[in-house]
Amino acid sequence: KDFENVLLEANDGIATLTINRPKSLNALNSATLTDIGDALDVVKNNEDAIKVLIITGSGEKAFVAGADISQMRDMNPIEAAELSKLAHNSFGKIENLKQFTIAAVNGYCLGGGLELASSCDMRIVSNKAKFGQPEVTLGIVPGFGGTQRLTRLVGRGKAKEMIATGTMINADEAHRVGIADEVAEPAELIDKATEIATTIKRNGLIAVGMAKYVIDRAADLPLDLAIDFETQMWAQTFATEDQTEGMTAFLEKRHAKFTGK
Ligand code: HXC
């Protein structure tokens, strides 16, 4: 399917979703947020063909430079809430995919862009990328999850500093504070993301999907409940063919052929 504001390509089990409005530095307007959600539905409905999803931005300059300021300027509170819900709906789909998601952050990653990247399972970033939540410089607060997901990534102190100052940090600092999981040369960014995606896609989709599910769902539970949740997920994997295959392959000293069943 063709989308106006994003590109979705799949190759050998790895799909790439590219936010594609380079003239506006890939700013997220409502049409783009809708396309992201629709593209994620395609990914979800093609678990046989797509094992890992990479999300990146078009052009050399930006991953996503935020929500679209020209669209937001004249919005009333009801329209603002609608835009926020549209983003939450699309970003929530990222977390709810069984497929593992990697943000390959190729440049400016600001506002709604950092909120998008924070919704992915991990972030590999170009050493030229810049990160920030500049909303207060526009007289608003983050509205696509930034006060919550960024805080869960970096802790309250750093999240408050980034959100209250609105200033940008570079890739090394993003790595130090836990936003970036890996830093790469710009020319090697997609290769690095693909390398990790390739390792992940060899593993069973059910086990990978359950792992991200239990990590996300139990993250804010008290430890005893979270551990109990893990036990339940762990036990469920013993209902899968992948568990039998994975352990049989080990004992037969061969590579497992997971079917995701
Ligand atoms: C709309 C944007 C945009 C944005 C850039 N552009 N960011 N348009 N929304 N968020 C447009 C510019 O207007 C310009 O269009 C073109 O992209 C190129 O950008 P320049 O500013 O000319 O580039 P440069 O001077 O290199 O500066 C890059 C930049 C700057 C530092 C990233 O563009 C910038 O500060 N952008 C805004 C970043 C921001 O505040 N984001 C947070 C948005 S609020 P023309 O037509 O002039 O070529 C947000 C809230 C989310 O995300 C949740 C709320 C509900």
Side-chain angles (χ1 to χ4, degrees):
K1 185 177 183 307
D2 284 341
F3 300 97
E4 203 180 322
N5 304 290
V6 303
L7 302 169
L8 181 64
E9 298 147 303
N11 184 17
D12 203 13
I14 301 170
T16 304
L17 174 62
T18 306
I19 316 303
N20 190 28
R21 295 181 75 215
K23 286 200 186 103
S24 316
L25 303 188
N26 303 321
L28 302 174
N29 59 8
S30 44
T32 306
L33 289 166
T34 302
D35 281 355
I36 291 172
D38 291 346
L40 291 166
D41 288 339
V42 174
V43 173
K44 179 186 156 84
N45 294 329
N46 285 281
E47 287 177 359
D48 286 343
I50 301 172
K51 308 295 179 195
V52 181
L53 175 66
I54 295 170
I55 300 182
T56 193
S58 173
E60 304 207 328
K61 213 166 150 181
F63 173 71
V64 168
D68 191 313
I69 299 168
S70 54
Q71 184 182 25
M72 288 189 293
R73 188 188 62 182
D74 297 326
M75 282 185 336
N76 65 36
I78 294 179
E79 290 160 344
E82 273 168 12
L83 189 71
S84 167
K85 282 183 190 151
L86 187 59
H88 287 311
N89 182 45
S90 291
F91 296 180
K93 285 180 186 177
I94 298 173
E95 286 172 337
N96 288 325
L97 288 174
K98 272 190 206 152
Q99 291 99 334
F100 197 88
T101 54
I102 301 172
V105 179
N106 52 308
Y108 286 113
C109 181
L110 303 174
L114 183 51
E115 292 167 309
L116 170 62
S118 300
S119 304
C120 294
D121 296 312
M122 67 178 290
R123 285 146 294 283
I124 302 180
V125 315
S126 150
N127 59 18
K128 298 257 162 55
K130 297 260 192 298
F131 302 80
Q133 295 283 168
E135 285 85 350
V136 295
T137 69
L138 301 165
I140 61 172
V141 295
F144 295 174
T147 64
Q148 303 309 311
R149 290 197 184 89
L150 181 66
T151 305
R152 283 158 171 77
L153 277 179
V154 303
R156 284 194 210 183
K158 191 71 197 176
K160 284 181 184 170
E161 181 195 328
M162 286 181 70
I163 290 169
T165 63
T167 53
M168 294 185 214
I169 62 173
N170 65 22
D172 283 340
E173 189 171 0
H175 189 224
R176 190 175 60 75
V177 301
I179 293 172
D181 299 294
E182 301 250 7
V183 181
E185 292 288 333
E188 288 160 15
L189 178 70
I190 294 297
D191 284 352
K192 183 79 206 163
T194 305
E195 188 186 314
I196 295 176
T198 302
T199 305
I200 293 171
K201 80 172 185 187
R202 290 194 196 108
N203 301 321
L205 185 64
I206 296 184
V208 170
M210 272 196 189
K212 71 177 252 189
Y213 180 78
V214 68
I215 289 168
D216 284 340
R217 290 289 148 165
D220 303 312
L221 295 177
L223 187 64
D224 59 338
L225 290 181
I227 291 289
D228 195 35
F229 198 156
E230 184 193 74
T231 299
Q232 301 306 323
M233 285 298 122
W234 182 73
Q236 278 188 40
T237 60
F238 285 78
T240 65
E241 292 173 18
D242 281 355
Q243 177 263 331
T244 310
E245 165 61 12
M247 294 190 180
T248 304
F250 175 82
L251 294 171
E252 292 176 354
K253 302 188 192 302
R254 60 173 175 81
H255 289 296
K257 288 198 202 72
F258 291 117
T259 56
K261 297 204 167 84

